[in-house]
Amino acid sequence: MQEIIRQLLSELGEDASREGLLDTPKRVEKSLRFLTGGYQADVDEVLNNALFSVDYNEMVIVKDIDFYSLCEHHLLPFFGKCHVAYIPNGKVVGLSKIPRLVDIFSRRLQVQERLTNQIAETILAKVGPIGVGVVLEGQHLCMSMRGVEKQNSVAVTSAMLGTFRSDARTRAEFLELIRRPKTP
Ligand SMILES: [Zn+2]
């Protein structure tokens, strides 16, 4: 990978052998491997020992999860907040595992729509709730840096499954709860 990055630097009109760029290929490789580390991650391993039987059937919400991903069309970052909710059906997942799942799918080349769906579908498949809702609010540098859109525009995507799709009140409760400002 480092040789390809050196070639890329030359193609861009740079002198890849100048001091400031000498270690850049190594750094870029390391950073790209980290930012796409989701391909190597195993969902089942992350959720291992983190599913618990409970007698709780109200909505569980984890909101304002930071996510950072790379747009697959331009290899530029898109990032923002992810909100996840589900209604358990006898089983809950450890709360800290939800941001881990978000990381697994965001550390890949993505489009925001697919990222949103993958998070929702995975929770549906692995936790077996009666419904899942996921909302992502993302800022895309491929839009703002290239001047395609206004600097601060945010793309919002959502995936509603199970009762979150079939029951308007459940969906409304979720959307209302994530709109509420953070408690200090
Ligand atoms: Zn893009």
Side-chain angles (χ1 to χ4, degrees):
M1 198 190 285
Q2 295 181 29
E3 185 44 42
I4 295 166
I5 295 160
R6 258 186 294 275
Q7 280 174 31
L8 177 66
L9 291 170
S10 304
E11 287 293 330
L12 293 173
E14 266 293 353
D15 170 9
S17 63
R18 72 177 171 84
E19 196 191 359
L21 293 178
L22 270 184
D23 287 332
T24 298
K26 198 170 26 174
R27 291 193 204 97
V28 172
E29 175 177 12
K30 196 174 170 208
S31 128
L32 281 176
R33 297 254 184 238
F34 175 77
L35 297 173
T36 59
Y39 292 118
Q40 267 72 49
D42 181 348
V43 170
D44 291 316
E45 212 169 280
V46 166
L47 297 181
N48 197 23
N49 299 322
L51 290 170
F52 308 101
S53 297
V54 288
D55 188 16
Y56 179 83
N57 51 14
E58 298 298 324
M59 193 179 293
V60 177
I61 300 190
V62 183
K63 63 178 202 168
D64 296 320
I65 302 166
D66 290 316
F67 77 87
Y68 295 88
S69 191
L70 289 172
C71 119
E72 68 183 19
H73 301 136
H74 302 93
L75 303 189
L76 286 172
F78 70 97
F79 57 93
K81 300 283 183 197
C82 173
H83 315 289
V84 174
Y86 67 97
I87 299 178
N89 185 16
K91 251 194 305 184
V92 295
V93 60
L95 288 177
S96 68
K97 301 297 181 178
I98 290 178
R100 295 281 308 280
L101 280 182
V102 173
D103 281 346
I104 287 181
F105 292 107
S106 55
R107 286 183 190 152
R108 301 178 185 201
L109 305 185
Q110 282 285 14
V111 294
Q112 187 175 319
E113 295 85 343
R114 186 174 62 228
L115 173 57
T116 310
N117 279 331
Q118 285 176 335
I119 296 166
E121 297 282 358
T122 301
I123 292 170
L124 187 72
K126 302 295 179 184
V127 189
I130 65 171
V132 189
V134 175
V135 171
L136 259 70
E137 301 170 294
Q139 201 174 338
H140 293 244
L141 291 190
C142 63
M143 285 165 71
S144 41
M145 285 180 86
R146 299 187 313 136
V148 178
E149 277 291 329
K150 297 247 186 309
Q151 290 288 318
N152 294 311
S153 69
V154 170
V156 181
T157 48
S158 68
M160 303 287 172
L161 305 176
T163 45
F164 283 72
R165 175 175 288 271
S166 59
D167 181 5
R169 273 193 320 187
T170 300
R171 200 163 54 236
E173 183 189 346
F174 171 43
L175 295 175
E176 169 62 24
L177 285 164
I178 64 176
R179 221 172 279 129
R180 221 173 263 180
K182 261 188 219 171
T183 41

